[in-house]
Amino acid sequence: MKRLSVISILALAALSLAGCNTAPKRDPAYAPIRPVAIPTPVQSNGAIYQAGYEHSWFEDMRARRVGDMLTIKLVEKTDASKTAATSVDKSNSTTITNPTILGSTPQFDTPSIIPLASNSDNNLGMNLSSSSSFAGSGDSAQSNNLTGDITVSVVEVMPNGYLLVRGEKRIGINQGNEYIKVSGIVRPADIDSTNTVLSTKLADPTLIYVGDGAVAESNTMGWLSRFFISALFPF
């Protein structure tokens, strides 16, 4: 019994230590790419300046090569609304008159064990009617706003000169982590003089803003609640 208590205490201590580890995790899909290494020049050639080590003081500093950095200004804002209304009414009525057989209208007497409606004579006429109605309405509205800055790196220069960029920002705050992931294609003409481009100028963009930790878990519906609103629960 004492050994079991020691094992339980050690397990709880391990869980508490694991809960303290809130360091953000890297996503390899958004990892930056390293620029191409500059080849080492041949030494002792007698020249003052060595090839590959020059620095252009008047060149354009905007991103254009693999490994260059580019700042993306997030200015995303979406608003959507949808309203739907449906109304269906349906009614049917069918009447079958008493047939005439060999020139006479058949009638029969109701047995005494069946309660009589109005008289003791009945015929084969029938009257069927049914009606149904359905009314439904729905209203949906959604609004999202994402602002901020994130610096990404150029991972590929396409044949037409466009830049494929991607990057990730990881922020650990108290008991949770925030992740901002961006990828897309940038046209060099859309990059301004400060080496910045708007997120609305990205082609084929992927913008992800997610979080984990205690705050994110408090806003997540439990598995039992999700079961009662899922398609597996028909009632």
Side-chain angles (χ1 to χ4, degrees), residues 207-225:
L207 306 176
I208 301 176
Y209 181 29
V210 295
D212 59 19
V215 177
E217 292 176 356
S218 64
N219 293 324
T220 303
M221 184 180 297
W223 64 268
L224 185 59
S225 300

Side-chain angles (χ1 to χ4, degrees), residues 63-65 154 156-158 161-165 184-186 188 191:
R64 66 178 185 275
R65 296 182 295 255
V154 179
E156 181 183 346
V157 179
M158 297 183 173
Y162 289 2
L163 308 177
L164 178 61
V165 299
I185 301 174
V186 176
I191 304 176

Side-chain angles (χ1 to χ4, degrees), residues 7 50 84 94 146-147 191 228-229:
I7 294 175
Q50 302 295 327
T94 303
L146 178 62
T147 59
I191 304 176
F228 283 110
I229 65 173

Side-chain angles (χ1 to χ4, degrees), residues 117-134:
S118 58
N119 52 53
S120 60
D121 294 330
N122 295 276
N123 54 42
L124 300 179
M126 300 179 63
N127 189 0
L128 303 176
S129 63
S130 65
S131 63
S132 62
S133 62
F134 170 81

